[in-house]
Amino acid sequence: MNATTDRLDTPRAAGMAGVAFALLLAAAIVLMRIAVPSGDVADAPIDPDKRWAIQVALEIVPFAGIFFLWFMGALRAHTGAAEDRFVATVFLGSGFVFVATLFGSAAAAGTVLSEGTPSAFGRHYAYTMLATYAMRMAAVFVFATSTIGRMLGVFPKPLAMLGTVVGLVLLVVASGVPWAELVFPAWALVISLYILRVRRGTAKTGAPSPTDPP
């Protein structure tokens, strides 16, 4: 396998990881909402018969975080070496902080579930880390990705505009509106499928991608 094929296959594999991340994170969110269907997860009672849903969601989260790192790699490979250093720093920083807060909230939720009588403080801590901090870092990540895509012309204009809308939703309403957090994995799925389509097209034609060096 030559260098050109390697360069095409690696982003394609990472793009598939982006699809896996989107599906896993969406599954974890849906399971959590099934277990705690009312507005504020931090205050709503947990049905003992549905604790399994939360436990499964917590098992899924680490894998979602791992696949997210590969998703970040797919995005960087798609934008190429011409990315702006300032925006790229925001992109990387927000992505790493998102994963850290996602793992932190899952660990806190797991500790709360293991207790005989879950404390209000522990539940609020886990929920706040996920709904407030993780989702707002996700908003910054979406903004940075859309900015890079728009500046370099590697994303079509509607896709960049979609990122702006998704970022605003995550930044403003995700912490208070049930199910709003699903817009992040939905956006990641759309971006991943777009990258896979572009890479598949360049592999068939042998033409370089928009950001490949000459």
Side-chain angles (χ1 to χ4, degrees), residues 33 62 65 78 91 104 149 193:
R33 289 297 178 185
H78 186 69
F91 167 86
L193 292 176

Side-chain angles (χ1 to χ4, degrees), residues 21 24 59-68 103:
F21 157 72
L24 287 172
E59 292 293 330
I60 289 175
V61 165
F63 295 99
I66 292 169
F67 282 121
F68 179 77
F103 284 178

